[in-house]
Short mmCIF file of all heavy atoms in Angstrom, two decimals:
data_model
loop_
_atom_site.label_atom_id
_atom_site.label_comp_id
_atom_site.label_asym_id
_atom_site.label_seq_id
_atom_site.Cartn_x
_atom_site.Cartn_y
_atom_site.Cartn_z
N LEU V 166 -22.81 11.80 -6.40
CA LEU V 166 -21.49 12.44 -6.67
C LEU V 166 -21.77 13.46 -7.85
O LEU V 166 -22.62 13.20 -8.69
CB LEU V 166 -20.46 11.45 -7.12
CG LEU V 166 -20.02 10.36 -6.16
CD1 LEU V 166 -18.93 9.57 -6.83
CD2 LEU V 166 -19.47 11.01 -4.85
N LYS V 167 -20.96 14.48 -7.80
CA LYS V 167 -20.91 15.40 -8.93
C LYS V 167 -19.49 16.06 -9.03
O LYS V 167 -18.93 16.35 -8.00
CB LYS V 167 -21.99 16.44 -8.77
CG LYS V 167 -22.01 17.53 -9.88
CD LYS V 167 -23.01 18.56 -9.51
CE LYS V 167 -23.19 19.74 -10.53
NZ LYS V 167 -22.41 19.73 -11.72
N SER V 168 -18.99 16.23 -10.23
CA SER V 168 -17.78 16.98 -10.36
C SER V 168 -17.97 18.29 -11.01
O SER V 168 -18.70 18.42 -12.03
CB SER V 168 -16.75 16.18 -11.20
OG SER V 168 -15.62 16.99 -11.53
N SER V 169 -17.35 19.38 -10.48
CA SER V 169 -17.45 20.68 -11.02
C SER V 169 -16.37 20.90 -12.08
O SER V 169 -16.31 21.92 -12.70
CB SER V 169 -17.37 21.77 -9.91
OG SER V 169 -16.12 21.61 -9.29
N ASN V 170 -15.49 19.93 -12.25
CA ASN V 170 -14.44 20.00 -13.17
C ASN V 170 -14.42 18.76 -14.14
O ASN V 170 -14.17 17.66 -13.65
CB ASN V 170 -13.06 20.06 -12.41
CG ASN V 170 -11.88 20.24 -13.25
OD1 ASN V 170 -11.90 20.08 -14.49
ND2 ASN V 170 -10.71 20.66 -12.70
N PRO V 171 -14.63 19.01 -15.41
CA PRO V 171 -14.76 17.85 -16.33
C PRO V 171 -13.43 17.11 -16.50
O PRO V 171 -13.47 16.03 -17.07
CB PRO V 171 -15.21 18.49 -17.62
CG PRO V 171 -14.87 19.92 -17.57
CD PRO V 171 -14.87 20.30 -16.11
N ALA V 172 -12.30 17.67 -16.01
CA ALA V 172 -11.07 17.02 -16.16
C ALA V 172 -10.74 16.00 -15.08
O ALA V 172 -9.75 15.27 -15.17
CB ALA V 172 -9.94 18.10 -16.26
N VAL V 173 -11.67 15.93 -14.09
CA VAL V 173 -11.41 14.98 -13.00
C VAL V 173 -11.70 13.55 -13.48
O VAL V 173 -12.77 13.25 -13.97
CB VAL V 173 -12.35 15.27 -11.83
CG1 VAL V 173 -12.37 14.16 -10.79
CG2 VAL V 173 -11.90 16.57 -11.10
N GLN V 174 -10.66 12.68 -13.38
CA GLN V 174 -10.89 11.24 -13.61
C GLN V 174 -10.15 10.49 -12.54
O GLN V 174 -8.96 10.75 -12.26
CB GLN V 174 -10.17 10.88 -14.99
CG GLN V 174 -10.94 11.47 -16.16
CD GLN V 174 -12.26 10.67 -16.48
OE1 GLN V 174 -12.24 9.57 -17.16
NE2 GLN V 174 -13.41 11.16 -16.01
N LEU V 175 -10.84 9.59 -11.92
CA LEU V 175 -10.30 8.85 -10.73
C LEU V 175 -9.41 7.72 -11.07
O LEU V 175 -9.68 6.98 -12.04
CB LEU V 175 -11.45 8.36 -9.86
CG LEU V 175 -12.41 9.36 -9.26
CD1 LEU V 175 -13.62 8.84 -8.61
CD2 LEU V 175 -11.61 10.29 -8.26
N ASP V 176 -8.28 7.60 -10.40
CA ASP V 176 -7.38 6.50 -10.55
C ASP V 176 -6.93 6.12 -9.07
O ASP V 176 -6.27 6.98 -8.43
CB ASP V 176 -6.16 6.89 -11.39
CG ASP V 176 -5.10 5.80 -11.52
OD1 ASP V 176 -4.68 5.27 -10.49
OD2 ASP V 176 -4.67 5.51 -12.60
N PHE V 177 -7.27 5.00 -8.64
CA PHE V 177 -7.05 4.57 -7.23
C PHE V 177 -5.79 3.75 -7.17
O PHE V 177 -5.58 3.02 -6.16
CB PHE V 177 -8.27 3.89 -6.63
CG PHE V 177 -9.45 4.76 -6.44
CD1 PHE V 177 -10.68 4.35 -6.85
CD2 PHE V 177 -9.32 6.01 -5.86
CE1 PHE V 177 -11.85 5.18 -6.66
CE2 PHE V 177 -10.45 6.86 -5.64
CZ PHE V 177 -11.68 6.39 -6.11
N GLY V 178 -4.89 3.91 -8.10
CA GLY V 178 -3.64 3.08 -8.09
C GLY V 178 -2.74 3.36 -6.85
O GLY V 178 -2.01 2.47 -6.47
N ALA V 179 -2.88 4.53 -6.21
CA ALA V 179 -2.05 4.83 -5.08
C ALA V 179 -2.75 4.57 -3.73
O ALA V 179 -2.09 4.88 -2.72
CB ALA V 179 -1.54 6.27 -5.18
N ILE V 180 -3.98 4.09 -3.74
CA ILE V 180 -4.65 3.86 -2.45
C ILE V 180 -5.50 2.56 -2.39
O ILE V 180 -5.78 2.05 -1.33
CB ILE V 180 -5.53 5.08 -2.10
CG1 ILE V 180 -6.09 4.98 -0.71
CG2 ILE V 180 -6.66 5.32 -3.15
CD1 ILE V 180 -6.77 6.18 -0.16
N GLY V 181 -5.88 2.04 -3.62
CA GLY V 181 -6.77 0.90 -3.62
C GLY V 181 -6.21 -0.34 -2.91
O GLY V 181 -6.95 -0.96 -2.14
N LYS V 182 -4.92 -0.58 -3.11
CA LYS V 182 -4.29 -1.70 -2.43
C LYS V 182 -4.35 -1.60 -0.90
O LYS V 182 -4.70 -2.53 -0.25
CB LYS V 182 -2.83 -1.75 -2.85
CG LYS V 182 -2.41 -3.12 -3.31
CD LYS V 182 -0.99 -3.20 -3.94
CE LYS V 182 -0.04 -2.06 -3.76
NZ LYS V 182 1.21 -2.18 -4.38
N GLY V 183 -4.06 -0.32 -0.46
CA GLY V 183 -4.08 -0.11 1.00
C GLY V 183 -5.51 -0.25 1.55
O GLY V 183 -5.70 -0.89 2.55
N TYR V 184 -6.48 0.40 0.85
CA TYR V 184 -7.85 0.30 1.40
C TYR V 184 -8.34 -1.14 1.36
O TYR V 184 -9.00 -1.65 2.33
CB TYR V 184 -8.74 1.19 0.53
CG TYR V 184 -10.13 1.29 1.08
CD1 TYR V 184 -10.47 1.73 2.36
CD2 TYR V 184 -11.24 0.82 0.28
CE1 TYR V 184 -11.76 1.79 2.82
CE2 TYR V 184 -12.52 0.83 0.81
CZ TYR V 184 -12.72 1.33 2.08
OH TYR V 184 -14.09 1.40 2.56
N GLY V 185 -7.93 -1.87 0.31
CA GLY V 185 -8.30 -3.30 0.20
C GLY V 185 -7.71 -4.11 1.35
O GLY V 185 -8.39 -4.99 1.88
N ILE V 186 -6.52 -3.79 1.72
CA ILE V 186 -5.89 -4.51 2.78
C ILE V 186 -6.63 -4.16 4.11
O ILE V 186 -6.88 -5.09 4.97
CB ILE V 186 -4.38 -4.25 2.92
CG1 ILE V 186 -3.66 -4.91 1.71
CG2 ILE V 186 -3.76 -4.62 4.28
CD1 ILE V 186 -2.15 -4.57 1.58
N ASP V 187 -7.03 -2.96 4.30
CA ASP V 187 -7.83 -2.61 5.52
C ASP V 187 -9.13 -3.41 5.55
O ASP V 187 -9.45 -3.96 6.63
CB ASP V 187 -8.18 -1.15 5.51
CG ASP V 187 -6.95 -0.21 5.86
OD1 ASP V 187 -5.99 -0.80 6.49
OD2 ASP V 187 -6.93 0.95 5.45
N LEU V 188 -9.85 -3.50 4.46
CA LEU V 188 -11.04 -4.28 4.40
C LEU V 188 -10.75 -5.76 4.70
O LEU V 188 -11.46 -6.41 5.45
CB LEU V 188 -11.76 -4.14 3.08
CG LEU V 188 -12.26 -2.79 2.69
CD1 LEU V 188 -13.05 -2.84 1.38
CD2 LEU V 188 -13.18 -2.24 3.78
#
Side-chain angles (χ1 to χ4, degrees):
L166 298 183
K167 179 185 178 1
S168 170
S169 58
N170 181 346
V173 166
Q174 291 283 279
L175 298 170
D176 176 308
F177 293 133
I180 188 172
K182 227 170 21 180
Y184 185 60
I186 288 177
D187 287 335
L188 295 184

